[in-house]
Amino acid sequence: MTTISAVALVGVLIWEWCHKDPIIDLHLFKDRSFAIGNLLMFYGGLCVDVQHRIIAAFYANGSGLHGGKRPAGINARGFAILVAMPVVGFLLGRYDARRLLLFGMCMLSFALFHMTRFDTSIDFRPVATARVFQAIGLAFLFVPINTAGIRIYSEK
């Protein structure tokens, strides 16, 4: 299956690159900002997904919650990102996107630093606090990147 997937991926990339009217316009990746934005989105999403799974398992093993019962501390990120994204959209019209990205990276770093103090007897407050900081950082990371990508696509 891995071999079939790899061959199919190469085939799709060749087809989309050479086709006159592609479904996936790979020529957009010639733009440095678009390519870097997509790379940041990929790595950001990958890190968030891995971290979410590790923290959920770590918290569940320490507190004895198993079988899909997730503690409320894990879900604090959802509410925080729901509130933060419109704020970032508003700030994006007033400030340079690079400054907002820098702030988002600093918030994500602060959240990860906060998580270094986790141990097996962890309770709700430290998990929820770290997840809220992470949500704020994610909003300040993903919204400016998406906005820059849409601007690049609409200019082409």
Side-chain angles (χ1 to χ4, degrees):
M1 293 307 284
T2 304
T3 305
I4 293 171
S5 297
V7 170
L9 178 64
V10 169
V12 165
L13 292 176
I14 292 170
W15 175 266
E16 294 296 325
W17 187 264
C18 299
H19 198 267
K20 184 177 92 173
D21 190 23
I23 294 172
I24 306 166
D25 192 2
L26 297 175
H27 294 94
L28 289 173
F29 287 97
K30 288 181 181 178
D31 186 284
R32 185 177 60 135
S33 297
F34 186 77
I36 290 172
N38 275 286
L39 189 65
L40 281 173
M41 288 289 281
F42 174 75
Y43 284 126
L46 182 69
C47 292
V48 167
D49 184 52
V50 168
Q51 178 195 17
H52 180 73
R53 293 175 194 279
I54 289 172
I55 287 179
F58 180 76
Y59 191 50
N61 288 336
S63 62
L65 296 174
H66 296 287
K69 298 177 183 176
R70 294 207 169 172
I74 299 288
N75 299 327
R77 182 177 75 177
F79 180 72
I81 206 163
L82 183 72
V83 172
M85 281 195 168
V87 172
V88 176
F90 174 76
L91 292 174
L92 198 54
R94 302 193 185 284
Y95 298 101
D96 184 27
R98 291 174 290 186
R99 293 181 189 264
L100 297 177
L101 280 168
L102 179 63
F103 179 76
M105 291 295 223
C106 289
M107 288 300 290
L108 286 172
S109 298
F110 181 74
L112 290 173
F113 180 73
H114 183 74
M115 290 178 198
T116 61
R117 297 188 207 127
F118 286 5
D119 60 10
T120 55
S121 63
I122 196 167
D123 64 345
F124 171 78
R125 176 172 263 148
V127 173
T129 304
R131 302 298 276 180
V132 167
F133 286 136
Q134 183 187 42
I136 293 168
L138 289 174
F140 276 87
L141 179 70
F142 289 148
V143 173
I145 290 173
N146 282 325
T147 303
I150 290 169
R151 283 184 192 155
I152 290 168
Y153 185 74
S154 64
E155 291 171 1
K156 301 251 178 199

